[in-house]
Amino acid sequence: MRIVLVGPPGAGKGTQAAYLAKNLSIPHISTGDLFRANISQGTDLGKQARAYMDAGQLVPDEVTIAMAKDRMSQPDAVNGFLLDGFPRNVGQAEALDEMLKSEGVTLDAVLDLEVPEDEVVKRIAGRRICRNDSAHVFHVTYNPPKAEGVCDTCGGELYQRDDDSEETVRTRLEVYHTQTEPIIDYYRAQGLVVTISALGKVEDVTKRSMEALKKDREG
């Protein structure tokens, strides 16, 4: 299957993408991973992206599109893929359509993970990270430490990242509504959108997603 995964910050796209890709036996292609791989490998595209990033500028669509095209041409993606973070706007969605059309294939579904805005803010603004090890992550509501402000694992200080503050989260949501959300209408016009509630346990969201994709494919 060829799937695009969309949803606001805090919807759990990365987590769901990993589970879904494993269940569907297709590669999970994340924009973040694409950038990191190209930059660390020193590819021409990576050097271009790095130059923009170092200058504090957004990486142009054409560079992102070229990275995605190169990744989707790899052998493991021939029979399908799950795109996470791409396309990010309607221009990229149109470019993706052209890419797939040139290969004689189409998308099977666009999975829209739906989460109320207040829940997104609660999820992200409640995160606390250990200063000693960023892999130690807690949440003031869903996974609180035994002692407030102290990491259960190593005793390090827990802190809130600047980009996890409520103000920053609401700004990120506004960017999502303005730039990315329009692709849902774009794909809905093609009859590709499958909307799933991303509330509840991770495994429940995965199960709902798999059932909806199966039903969509059979339908």
Side-chain angles (χ1 to χ4, degrees), residues 1-8 87 90 93 97 106-114 176 180-197 208-209 211-217 219:
M1 292 188 79
R2 295 174 179 85
I3 303 168
V4 167
L5 188 64
V6 296
V90 173
D97 279 352
T106 58
L107 286 175
D108 292 296
V110 174
L111 192 60
D112 172 27
L113 296 181
E114 195 171 66
Y176 171 77
T180 305
E181 206 167 43
I183 72 173
I184 297 174
D185 287 335
Y186 173 81
Y187 284 125
R188 187 172 282 122
Q190 300 179 34
L192 291 171
V193 176
V194 179
T195 300
I196 296 295
S197 169
R208 285 198 291 269
S209 298
E211 289 174 349
L213 288 171
K214 181 180 179 182
K215 187 181 296 183
D216 182 71
R217 201 172 190 182

Side-chain angles (χ1 to χ4, degrees), residues 20-207:
L20 291 170
K22 182 178 180 180
N23 284 331
L24 294 166
S25 300
I26 53 178
H28 167 206
I29 301 176
S30 135
T31 306
D33 289 345
L34 286 179
F35 276 86
R36 283 187 287 273
N38 277 274
I39 290 172
S40 66
Q41 293 166 18
T43 67
D44 288 341
L45 290 171
K47 290 174 183 175
Q48 290 179 51
R50 186 64 180 266
Y52 285 103
M53 293 164 72
D54 286 348
Q57 299 174 4
L58 292 174
V59 178
D61 280 356
E62 56 264 28
V63 176
T64 305
I65 291 165
M67 285 185 184
K69 183 176 183 179
D70 177 67
R71 179 63 185 87
M72 287 187 287
S73 69
Q74 300 302 314
D76 67 332
V78 170
N79 294 319
F81 47 74
L82 190 151
L83 296 175
D84 168 19
F86 177 84
R88 194 174 292 276
N89 55 49
V90 173
Q92 291 183 5
E94 291 172 341
L96 175 60
D97 279 352
E98 288 301 314
M99 267 188 250
L100 298 177
K101 185 178 179 182
S102 69
E103 297 295 326
V105 296
T106 58
L107 286 175
D108 292 296
V110 174
L111 192 60
D112 172 27
L113 296 181
E114 195 171 66
V115 186
E117 191 160 305
D118 286 345
E119 175 65 18
V120 167
V121 174
K122 185 177 180 181
R123 286 183 181 185
I124 299 178
R127 282 196 300 223
R128 298 295 184 268
I129 316 295
C130 177
R131 288 196 186 277
N132 293 341
D133 189 336
S134 60
H136 302 163
V137 181
F138 297 83
H139 192 282
V140 296
T141 302
Y142 303 123
N143 181 33
K146 294 173 182 175
E148 186 176 349
V150 180
C151 176
D152 290 356
T153 307
C154 68
E157 179 193 357
L158 298 180
Y159 75 104
Q160 182 187 52
R161 297 187 313 185
D162 290 342
D163 57 353
D164 283 350
S165 70
E166 181 172 343
E167 183 180 357
T168 303
V169 173
R170 292 197 182 279
T171 298
R172 290 166 62 192
L173 280 167
E174 190 57 41
V175 171
Y176 171 77
H177 292 320
T178 304
Q179 297 183 9
T180 305
E181 206 167 43
I183 72 173
I184 297 174
D185 287 335
Y186 173 81
Y187 284 125
R188 187 172 282 122
Q190 300 179 34
L192 291 171
V193 176
V194 179
T195 300
I196 296 295
S197 169
L199 295 176
K201 296 180 180 178
V202 169
E203 56 268 29
D204 291 339
V205 178
T206 303
K207 184 178 179 181

Side-chain angles (χ1 to χ4, degrees), residues 7-19:
K13 292 188 297 296
T15 301
Q16 288 304 318
Y19 280 105

